[in-house]
Amino acid sequence: MTQLSHLNGAGEANMVDVSEKPITVRQARAEAYLSLSDHTRELICAGKHPKGDVFAVARIAGIQAAKKTWDLIPLCHPLLLSKVEVTLTPLSHPSRIHIETLCRLSGQTGVEMEALTAASVAALTLYDMCKAVQKDMVIECIRLVEKRGGKSGDFRGEYND
């Protein structure tokens, strides 16, 4: 059986030691979708949502979440991110918001969890901002889209939408 990297010799959880790994540029993209009614989407896009600029708040929340991933996910390393980007795109058929995140750094470990956390929290923030208007929204398809760099090499997800 292969030993898991987050377990020590006694089988106890521990943080992986990355001190011997080379510093390289690493990047990850993640995405999520928020399915919502046409009415709610139109309120957001027209800037008429009762809570104001919903997209601005969700963008900031996603960026903050990426920066706090090590606080939220046990055994994640604190990282000095050089870029965090959150893109929110309204879609019509079906009615939903596409959330895409990008995280980048020069470091010794990857940024997949940061990108996934940013997408998740941006989606949760959209839900929170819009729940007074619509409660039956659905957060869907949180997934890693792409990662570059590091020992395991590049990854590009092949998904059917």
Side-chain angles (χ1 to χ4, degrees), residues 57-73 76-79 81 83-86 99 101-103 111-125:
V57 176
R59 229 179 264 108
I60 291 167
I63 291 167
Q64 284 298 104
K67 293 165 47 176
K68 295 294 240 168
T69 298
W70 67 277
D71 255 346
L72 300 169
I73 309 294
C76 279
H77 293 85
L79 301 179
L81 297 168
K83 178 162 185 69
V84 179
E85 184 176 286
V86 177
I99 301 135
T101 62
L102 166 73
C103 292
V111 291
E112 296 93 336
M113 292 311 300
E114 287 70 17
L116 286 161
T117 300
S120 301
V121 171
L124 288 167
T125 301

Side-chain angles (χ1 to χ4, degrees), residues 90-137:
L91 304 171
S92 301
H93 302 290
S95 183
R96 54 192 187 163
I97 307 297
H98 179 232
I99 301 135
E100 185 172 21
T101 62
L102 166 73
C103 292
R104 184 181 305 133
L105 60 63
S106 292
Q108 296 168 297
T109 190
V111 291
E112 296 93 336
M113 292 311 300
E114 287 70 17
L116 286 161
T117 300
S120 301
V121 171
L124 288 167
T125 301
L126 287 171
Y127 186 97
D128 182 50
M129 295 288 289
C130 295
K131 71 182 186 271
V133 174
Q134 180 186 355
K135 292 189 179 12
D136 64 347
M137 296 171 288

